[in-house]
Amino acid sequence: MTGNAIPLFTKRRTQYVIGKNLPVPEAQVEALIREAVRHAPSSFNSQSSRVVILFGAQHEKLWNITREALRPLTPPEAFAKTDAKMSSFAAGAGSVLFFEDQDVVKKLQQNFALYADKFPMFSEHSAGMAQYAVWTALADAGIGASLQHYSPVIDAQVASNWSIPDSWALRAQMPFGSNEAPFAEKSFMPDEERFKVFR
Ligand SMILES: Cc1cc2nc3c(=O)[nH]c(=O)nc-3n(C[C@H](O)[C@H](O)[C@H](O)COP(=O)(O)O)c2cc1C
């Protein structure tokens, strides 16, 4: 196979066991995230994705907020597992918060009436593109990450703690850090069930 994309794609995996020993300086991680999001495609080049990067104590605060938001929603006997999960995310070096700016979506709906009903979906697709780009860029730098979804239970606290504009809708959280364990096995469904090729 030619090119470097496939080896790079296979390098990106879900990593839950993360630590604080980043293989590159924080400034370089920040630059990677910025560039990955900048170059990710979006519908009509609307650039609807917004990102907040949290390092260190700010990142730990996110997972404490999430822990406390989940506490009243989780049966007491199940909370130990939730608590451990939050601690495992907090053990990392940072988190990326992914948002989609709903003002951008509304503006597109006004300007391109023909696609008005499609823009919310396109925005979600763009969010996925940005998330994948960041995840892959982090993996290429030797940084482990996973993709988490604790919206809407953390939305209000996230907004107030990090001065998030009202129009930014939280879509995903990506805790990252040093890879502290091998990746889990991954199974793949048969190609025959996924692909059709005609020539
Ligand atoms: C749209 C999407 C949503 C996901 N949501 C979560 C999630 O909420 N929590 C989680 O731990 N992993 C989540 N994942 C990670 C998947 O479980 C993971 O990517 C999948 O099992 C394949 O494993 P890999 O990432 O190692 O290739 C999500 C992945 C995608 C693409």
Side-chain angles (χ1 to χ4, degrees):
M1 217 173 308
T2 57
N4 294 320
I6 304 304
L8 180 55
F9 295 160
T10 56
K11 224 168 161 179
R12 185 225 50 83
R13 293 294 314 281
T14 290
Q15 176 58 276
Y16 293 116
V17 190
I18 51 177
K20 301 201 185 290
N21 305 309
L22 285 175
V24 295
E26 280 183 3
Q28 206 171 313
V29 178
E30 182 188 332
L32 266 178
I33 295 166
R34 281 178 196 269
E35 289 304 294
V37 173
R38 195 195 312 280
H39 293 290
S42 59
S43 72
F44 288 62
N45 195 28
S46 56
Q47 299 165 64
S48 52
S49 299
R50 303 286 179 265
V51 162
V52 170
I53 306 168
L54 304 173
F55 285 109
Q58 297 290 324
H59 146 83
E60 287 173 10
K61 192 173 187 184
L62 170 73
W63 296 108
N64 278 328
I65 286 171
T66 311
R67 187 195 321 269
E68 295 315 317
L70 292 173
R71 197 187 293 273
L73 306 175
T74 312
E77 65 277 12
F79 190 71
K81 206 172 156 197
T82 302
D83 193 34
K85 206 168 169 186
M86 297 305 116
S87 297
S88 73
F89 298 146
S95 292
V96 189
L97 304 182
F98 292 91
F99 301 82
E100 284 291 304
D101 190 341
Q102 300 308 301
D103 280 353
V104 174
V105 176
K106 278 186 209 140
K107 211 162 276 172
L108 285 165
Q109 289 177 310
Q110 286 158 8
N111 293 346
F112 303 98
L114 187 62
Y115 298 105
D117 62 329
K118 297 291 188 299
F119 284 119
M121 180 184 74
F122 290 162
S123 159
E124 303 308 324
H125 292 178
S126 300
M129 302 262 172
Q131 291 158 26
Y132 185 66
V134 169
W135 201 348
T136 307
L138 292 176
D140 191 42
I143 298 168
S146 70
L147 188 61
Q148 302 301 322
H149 298 90
Y150 291 102
S151 195
V153 295
I154 61 171
D155 289 11
Q157 289 250 55
V158 165
S160 67
N161 268 281
W162 292 289
S163 308
I164 306 300
D166 287 347
S167 64
W168 294 20
L170 183 58
R171 289 296 180 251
Q173 306 84 48
M174 185 173 286
F176 63 82
S178 43
N179 282 300
E180 299 294 344
F183 297 124
E185 284 293 307
K186 182 174 178 178
S187 61
F188 297 91
M189 61 187 288
D191 276 3
E192 309 82 80
E193 293 171 22
R194 281 195 105 167
F195 305 100
K196 291 183 190 293
V197 181
F198 303 92
R199 57 168 66 83

